[in-house]
Amino acid sequence: YQVLLDHTADQDSIILAQQATIDSILALPPCGCSDPVEYQGYSYDVVQIGDQCWFAENLRSENYRNGDAIPFYEADADWSDAHQNSEGAWCHPNGDATKSESYGHMYNHWLIMDGREVCPSGWHVPTDADFIELEMFMGMSEETALLTDWRGTDQGTRLKASPTSVVPWDGTDEVGFRWVQGGWRHVSGSYGYIDDLGLLMFTPSAESGGAAYGFRQAGNQYQPGGLVRTFGGNAGDGRSLRCVKD
């Protein structure tokens, strides 16, 4: 009987020790989100949201990961030609370099299909599934997250930058994602919704057969709280990019 008690006590001690180890592991940043990420001469703030680690600001790289330059096209005709040539490109939002300081650069979708990668090593342009995981962490049901167009209730508001954020907007910035309103650039070269809408690209998915160009949208005067999930758009359109850790 005493042997049985001792054995049970030993098992309890082992279980407690294992649980303590697990608790200590869980207390650590699971994805290395404690320090900014230095990449191509710029220090990016990062944020842990659930089990994911995201850039807390939009990408502003002017080179692919391997150092190759990403073509810079400001003129409307050059921007449009990049699409005709299936060529990745970047520009400043609204053609204004000071806007890049707040919103990062704009990129066309050919950039993320180039194969040379634009996020730093260990990071990638988010997939549709990455955004779904983020949205579900913010309280959106899986059924709702898998819909297209406007979905959700207040997830957009809670992910958007707040009036007191480094780059202010009209959200609450509940988890430090700091979604900002960089707008977009049409394949023709014209700009739209700068300072008004936040648009973030994701990589082509199996659902779209790899042929459509997906993006998320936050901010709209008619449905300000939700988020758009769409596989529409044009590969030559310009939008903002985030990186998420592998």
Side-chain angles (χ1 to χ4, degrees):
Y1 179 72
Q2 185 61 45
V3 171
L4 179 60
L5 287 176
D6 291 342
H7 178 68
T8 301
D10 289 343
Q11 285 184 321
D12 289 344
S13 297
I14 292 171
I15 291 171
L16 288 172
Q18 289 174 334
Q19 186 60 52
T21 300
I22 292 170
D23 289 343
S24 66
I25 292 172
L26 291 176
L28 296 173
C31 54
C33 270
S34 57
D35 299 310
V37 172
E38 302 287 337
Y39 182 54
Q40 297 185 0
Y42 184 80
S43 180
Y44 290 91
D45 289 338
V46 297
V47 61
Q48 183 177 324
I49 305 174
D51 292 330
Q52 295 178 304
C53 191
W54 289 84
F55 275 22
E57 51 190 309
N58 293 343
L59 191 70
R60 59 186 70 206
S61 174
E62 298 172 11
N63 300 83
Y64 290 101
R65 183 187 294 173
N66 67 1
D68 292 347
I70 302 166
F72 169 69
Y73 293 134
E74 201 60 65
D76 291 353
D78 292 338
W79 182 262
S80 184
D81 286 345
H83 173 56
Q84 300 302 320
N85 297 327
S86 305
E87 181 182 34
W90 75 271
C91 66
H92 298 296
N94 218 32
D96 182 350
T98 63
K99 294 290 186 185
S100 282
E101 296 175 10
S102 296
Y103 304 138
H105 296 335
M106 280 185 167
Y107 303 93
N108 67 15
H109 290 249
W110 292 112
L111 178 94
I112 61 178
M113 296 182 286
D114 180 275
R116 280 178 283 183
E117 305 296 339
V118 69
C119 290
S121 180
W123 299 73
H124 61 273
V125 175
T127 63
D128 182 36
D130 287 326
F131 272 110
I132 287 175
E133 182 175 345
L134 172 65
E135 291 160 342
M136 290 178 63
F137 179 84
M138 299 303 295
M140 192 181 293
S141 71
E142 183 176 9
E143 180 181 9
T144 298
L146 291 172
L147 299 175
T148 54
D149 276 329
W150 285 103
R151 325 103 72 229
T153 53
D154 61 354
Q155 287 78 23
T157 297
R158 292 159 57 210
L159 288 167
K160 288 193 293 182
S162 74
T164 59
S165 296
V166 176
V167 179
W169 202 11
D170 60 356
T172 59
D173 194 26
E174 184 175 304
V175 293
F177 190 78
R178 296 185 346 211
W179 200 319
V180 293
Q181 61 278 31
W184 75 307
R185 189 178 191 184
H186 189 263
V187 63
S188 67
S190 62
Y191 296 93
Y193 302 105
I194 310 297
D195 304 319
D196 188 39
L197 296 181
L199 303 165
L200 293 174
M201 289 187 277
F202 58 85
T203 55
S205 71
E207 177 174 327
S208 63
Y213 313 102
F215 64 90
R216 289 302 202 278
Q217 175 182 321
N220 181 282
Q221 60 178 315
Y222 302 110
Q223 191 170 352
L227 290 169
V228 167
R229 172 186 182 238
T230 180
F231 297 94
N234 190 302
D237 292 340
R239 298 183 174 92
S240 302
L241 273 180
R242 288 286 176 104
C243 296
V244 63
K245 196 170 179 64
D246 296 347

